[in-house]
């Protein structure tokens, strides 16, 4: 897949923002992932060409940063915070409920492609614990009831 | 001493629902300090004013900001100022609040900083997960550009300044300044050996200064009100207002602003509403983000500033105050943090890469009830071997808490070994690993 026009023009713009093109690598990967939903092998090759670095370097970068995914996520990518402040306020119960209700474990996608579930480290929202990120949005102060209502609203 | 009233200097615009807009910021006197710096002060004078204010970095290390800027070489040639908006220390959520609710305050402080160090292209490195603050910040930069605060010939001063907002992609280590610079160059976030320090060899090999979000948010008031005024807030050598993040078992978690030096007890019991549950008394407090040594309930009569906490054997760090009541198993809490550091270790240095994983293994078996008597000393021994033996402070950031949990709550660790179970597991939540 060649990136679409919109992504391509954004990549062009990103390359112009830095004194060295390699600095645009993370931005390029973010854009490619936004278009496809994950980073495929050909995206790695494409990014390497665009910022003029070896393919192996891009592969290393993709595996180093947790936000880059190598597999398609669900339509709603649930990222449950598991770090201390959220644990103190019950993220384990929330996570257990998620596992039970969705019938999947961390790292898996529901068969209908609706949800994927991962645990993540502190997202800097400890005063609203327990919380999770769904795609790009924060959902805070979760309770089992709120979580169920939220999941019901996500088609 | 505080009078018990929340004082708002850093958070003064937050009462407005439109606080993130340029309009609201200008109405509150915004960008006056930038105009003053550009029109009435030389870059050196700005650096001197910040030096005289006593402002210390709010990212965790507490290094004097003016001194840091003073390390930057004078004269021509590219120089960079980089804003560290990679807030990811567990228990810390102050920078996100500033970025989302008062981006222009952060931006103005950053622009003044750029002028002070002679930087014509500033970079804002924001955590990848912070999509909302990222969008708000982009909007703020755009608004500032339209008003002549960013771009060519700032406010007719002849000074040019370009700003690029850069998104990370998920790595705690990128909050460490040299890892951040590597990441900004499109590489893995592997910390660099120091020396050379970034002020000599930084971004693209050029002199660079890296400052935290809350740090630069202090700069406009210093320029506008003067170093003397600023120096009267807080305590000697610990000057200025500070944002404290309260989380865990308190009734009113959130960000609180007070002068440096507010008593920790007052912060917890008066401002954060005290303990969450009446029947669950305080057991432990992490005063400065997950990387700092933990305090027991009988040690909270301490002032929240850099030097007082250091004297008490811990650190102010990022001022992420994590409060734990007596339902918490300290082995379990430490295991949570050990997993965090094991996950976030960049893997460059053997002591940290291997040691963090060993911590997890040892703590898992203690929590399972399969721990050995020798495990406690093994944890301490591991800390001795990690601390000070790694390129960056991530090794120290895990070795210090491990040592403190084991020494401060040793009986609890011993109980896990003696009874071959976690004494609090019966009351534990489902899904407990």
């Amino acid at each position: 897949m060649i990136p679409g026009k919109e992504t391509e023009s954004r990549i062009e713009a990103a390359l112009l923002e830095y004194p060295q093109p390699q600095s645009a690598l993370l931005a390029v990967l973010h854009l490619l992932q936004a278009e496809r939903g994950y980073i495929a092998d050909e995206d790695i090759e494409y990014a390497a060409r665009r910022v003029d670095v070896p393919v192996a370097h891009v592969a290393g970068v993709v595996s180093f940063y947790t936000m880059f995914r190598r597999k398609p996520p669900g339509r709603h990518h649930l990222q449950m915070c598991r770090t201390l402040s959220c644990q103190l306020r019950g993220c384990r119960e929330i996570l257990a409920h998620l596992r039970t209700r969705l019938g999947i474990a961390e790292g898996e996608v529901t068969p209908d492609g609706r949800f994927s579930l991962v645990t993540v480290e502190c997202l800097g929202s400890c005063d609203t614990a327990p919380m999770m990120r769904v795609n790009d949005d924060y959902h805070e102060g979760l309770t089992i009831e709120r979580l169920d209502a939220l999941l019901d609203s996500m088609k | 001493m505080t009078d018990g009233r929340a004082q708002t200097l850093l958070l003064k615009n937050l009462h407005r629902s439109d606080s993130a807009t340029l309009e609201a910021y200008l109405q509150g006197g915004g960008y006056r300090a930038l105009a003053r710096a550009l029109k009435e002060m030389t870059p050196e004078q700005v650096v001197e004013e910040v030096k005289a204010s006593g402002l210390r970095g709010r990212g965790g290390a507490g290094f004097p900001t003016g001194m840091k800027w003073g390390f930057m070489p004078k004269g021509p040639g590219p120089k960079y100022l980089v804003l560290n908006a990679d807030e990811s220390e567990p228990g810390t959520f102050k920078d996100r609040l500033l970025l989302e609710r008062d981006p222009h305050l952060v931006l103005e402080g950053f622009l003044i900083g750029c002028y002070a160090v002679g930087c014509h292209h500033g970079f804002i490195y924001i955590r990848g997960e912070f999509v909302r603050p990222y969008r708000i910040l982009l909007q703020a930069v755009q608004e500032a550009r339209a008003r002549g605060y960013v771009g060519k010939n700032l406010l007719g001063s002849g000074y040019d300044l370009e700003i690029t907002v850069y998104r990370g992609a998920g790595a705690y280590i990128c909050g460490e300044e040299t890892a951040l610079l590597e990441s900004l160059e499109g590489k893995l976030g592997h910390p660099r050996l120091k020396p050379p320090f970034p002020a000599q060899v930084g971004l693209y090999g050029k002199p660079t200064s890296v400052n935290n979000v809350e740090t630069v948010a202090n700069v406009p008031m210093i320029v506008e009100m003067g170093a003397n005024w600023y120096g009267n807030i807080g305590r000697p050598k610990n000057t200025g207002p500070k944002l404290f993040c309260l989380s865990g078992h308190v009734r009113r978690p959130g960000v609180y602003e007070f002068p440096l030096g507010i008593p920790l007890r007052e912060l917890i019991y008066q401002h954060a509403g005290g303990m969450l549950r009446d029947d669950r008394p305080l057991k432990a407090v992490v005063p400065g983000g997950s990387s700092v040594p933990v305090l027991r309930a009988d040690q909270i009569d301490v002032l929240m500033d850099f030097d007082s906490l250091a004297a008490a054997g811990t650190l102010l760090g990022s001022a992420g105050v994590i409060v734990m009541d007596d339902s918490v198993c300290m082995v379990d809490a430490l295991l949570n943090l050990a997993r965090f550091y094991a996950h976030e270790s960049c893997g460059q240095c053997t002591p940290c890469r291997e040691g963090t994983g060993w911590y997890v293994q040892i703590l898992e078996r203690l929590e399972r009830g399969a721990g050995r008597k020798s495990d406690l000393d093994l944890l301490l021994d591991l800390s001795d071997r990690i601390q000070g033996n790694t390129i960056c402070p991530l090794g120290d950031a895990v070795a210090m808490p491990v040592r403190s949990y084991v020494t401060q709550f040793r009986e609890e660790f011993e109980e896990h070994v003696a009874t071959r179970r976690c004494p609090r597991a019966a009351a534990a939540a489902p899904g407990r690993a």
Side-chain angles (χ1 to χ4, degrees):
Chain A
M1 178 192 84
I2 307 291
K5 270 204 171 67
E6 169 78 4
T7 302
E8 182 57 48
S9 68
R10 285 175 169 220
I11 286 173
E12 286 293 332
L15 285 163
L16 294 173
E17 281 206 68
Y18 301 96
Q20 296 180 6
Q22 190 177 331
S23 274
L25 178 56
L26 266 65
V28 170
L29 291 168
H30 274 305
L31 288 163
L32 293 170
Q33 178 162 282
E35 177 152 346
R36 192 195 292 269
Y38 67 104
I39 305 278
D41 287 353
E42 59 181 311
D43 295 324
I44 291 178
E45 288 163 23
Y46 174 84
R49 261 200 322 277
R50 290 312 308 264
V51 304
D52 195 22
V53 295
V55 168
H57 175 79
V58 181
V61 165
V62 168
S63 67
F64 183 86
Y65 295 98
T66 54
M67 288 178 75
F68 296 131
R69 299 180 294 265
R70 295 302 315 275
K71 290 192 309 220
R75 283 195 299 284
H76 307 284
H77 186 50
L78 312 179
Q79 304 144 75
M80 187 75 215
C81 174
R82 59 148 301 271
T83 320
L84 187 56
S85 292
C86 277
Q87 180 169 298
L88 294 172
R89 297 301 286 256
C91 75
R92 284 192 280 214
E93 290 90 324
I94 301 285
L95 186 62
H97 181 74
L98 274 173
R99 284 195 204 118
T100 309
R101 176 168 161 164
L102 302 178
I104 53 172
E106 292 94 306
E108 294 177 349
V109 187
T110 53
D112 60 2
R114 193 165 147 205
F115 296 108
S116 48
L117 175 65
V118 292
T119 53
V120 293
E121 300 295 352
C122 185
L123 289 167
S125 190
C126 319
D127 53 337
T128 62
M131 62 79 65
M132 73 174 171
R133 194 169 175 258
V134 181
N135 298 343
D136 286 343
D137 300 321
Y138 280 28
H139 295 271
E140 300 162 316
L142 294 173
T143 59
I144 301 285
E145 297 70 32
R146 272 191 202 165
L147 179 65
D148 280 334
L150 182 68
L151 295 175
D152 290 339
S153 73
M154 292 175 171
K155 296 300 165 229
Chain B
M1 281 312 294
T2 60
D3 58 5
R5 281 182 307 113
Q7 160 230 33
T8 50
L9 294 164
L10 292 164
L11 305 179
K12 71 181 165 90
N13 300 322
L14 264 59
H15 64 282
R16 298 181 58 141
S17 58
D18 63 347
S19 62
T21 62
L22 178 64
E23 197 51 43
Y25 188 63
L26 290 171
Q27 282 173 15
Y31 288 109
R32 277 202 310 242
L34 177 67
R36 180 163 182 228
L38 289 170
K39 291 172 178 168
E40 299 170 29
M41 298 167 87
T42 64
E44 292 74 23
Q45 284 174 317
V46 176
V47 173
E48 285 311 312
E49 200 69 27
V50 172
K51 255 188 208 171
S53 75
L55 172 65
R56 293 170 70 171
R58 303 304 199 227
F63 193 81
T65 307
M67 196 188 287
K68 198 182 220 181
W69 289 354
F71 291 150
M72 294 282 278
K74 309 284 177 283
K79 291 192 272 276
Y80 296 108
L81 190 69
V82 178
L83 186 68
N84 186 344
D86 192 62
E87 177 169 67
S88 33
E89 174 80 0
T92 315
F93 42 93
K94 61 192 176 65
D95 297 344
R96 186 168 70 95
L97 179 75
L98 288 172
L99 293 164
E100 284 191 4
R101 302 287 308 281
D102 205 353
H104 284 285
L105 174 68
V106 177
L107 191 56
E108 183 179 16
F110 183 61
L111 298 172
I112 295 168
C114 286
Y115 173 70
V117 301
C119 156
H120 296 283
H121 190 171
F123 292 90
I124 298 176
Y125 185 107
I126 187 166
R127 192 176 171 173
E129 294 92 336
F130 282 3
V131 174
R132 188 159 175 263
Y134 169 72
R135 290 184 183 140
I136 290 168
L137 200 54
L138 282 183
Q139 170 77 21
V141 172
Q142 219 169 2
E143 287 175 329
R145 189 187 302 279
R147 291 287 298 243
Y149 302 131
V150 173
K152 294 268 182 244
N153 189 17
L154 261 58
L155 303 178
S157 65
Y159 193 80
D160 299 340
L161 176 55
E162 210 28 73
I163 298 291
T164 299
V165 186
Y166 182 97
R167 280 183 73 203
Y172 167 73
I173 192 57
C174 289
E176 193 278 335
E177 63 176 6
T178 62
L180 185 150
L181 297 177
E182 285 285 297
S183 182
L184 196 39
E185 291 179 6
K187 301 170 187 162
L188 280 63
H190 280 175
R192 299 173 180 172
L193 271 170
K194 294 192 262 192
F197 289 93
Q200 276 72 51
V201 181
L203 185 65
Y204 309 125
K206 305 296 181 212
T208 305
S209 204
V210 183
N211 296 120
N212 161 269
V213 167
E214 186 191 349
T215 306
V216 303
N218 280 270
V219 171
M221 74 176 94
I222 292 169
V223 168
E224 193 170 6
M225 307 297 290
N228 284 343
W229 171 87
Y230 186 89
N232 284 324
I233 303 166
R235 301 181 69 246
K237 295 200 174 80
N238 294 268
T239 56
K242 179 77 191 86
L243 299 180
F244 299 96
C245 313
L246 274 285
S247 69
H249 295 141
V250 285
R251 270 188 225 278
R252 291 195 296 270
V255 176
Y256 292 84
E257 179 180 349
F258 289 102
L260 274 167
I262 184 175
L264 177 56
R265 181 181 293 277
E266 183 187 325
L267 206 50
I268 295 169
Y269 285 97
Q270 208 169 313
H271 305 294
M275 299 307 289
L276 182 66
R277 296 170 285 206
D278 289 334
D279 61 337
R280 288 291 186 187
L282 179 68
K283 179 175 183 176
V285 184
V286 173
S290 63
S291 304
V292 311
V294 67
L295 295 169
R296 291 192 316 262
D298 60 348
Q299 297 168 321
I300 63 164
D301 290 301
V302 62
L303 302 183
M304 292 293 285
D305 64 55
F306 295 103
D307 297 335
S308 303
L309 284 165
T314 181
L315 295 161
L316 178 66
S318 60
V321 181
I322 307 173
V323 179
M324 299 182 239
D325 68 25
D326 74 348
S327 70
V328 177
C329 163
M330 298 313 286
V331 177
D332 186 41
L334 182 58
L335 171 58
N336 180 291
L337 294 181
R339 283 181 178 144
F340 170 82
Y341 290 100
H343 181 263
E344 298 299 337
S345 174
C346 84
Q348 261 194 126
C349 310
T350 309
C352 172
R353 183 186 65 243
E354 302 302 319
T356 49
W358 292 354
Y359 279 144
V360 172
Q361 286 180 43
I362 298 164
L363 290 162
E364 275 178 347
R365 79 176 169 239
L366 278 165
E367 188 57 12
R368 266 203 323 271
R372 305 158 198 164
K373 210 171 176 171
S374 56
D375 280 346
L376 280 61
D377 291 329
L378 186 57
L379 288 168
L380 296 175
D381 184 58
L382 254 182
S383 290
D384 291 343
R385 288 166 198 276
I386 295 171
Q387 200 169 344
N389 295 320
T390 53
I391 289 172
C392 90
L394 191 138
D396 303 354
V398 60
M400 285 189 301
V402 169
R403 189 183 293 113
S404 77
Y405 281 67
V406 175
T407 49
Q408 296 267 50
F409 297 95
R410 191 165 180 119
E411 317 76 43
E412 201 169 320
F413 282 74
E414 284 169 344
E415 198 181 352
H416 279 73
V417 178
T419 61
R420 307 201 62 74
R421 56 187 277 277
C422 170
R424 283 169 183 75
R432 181 159 170 161

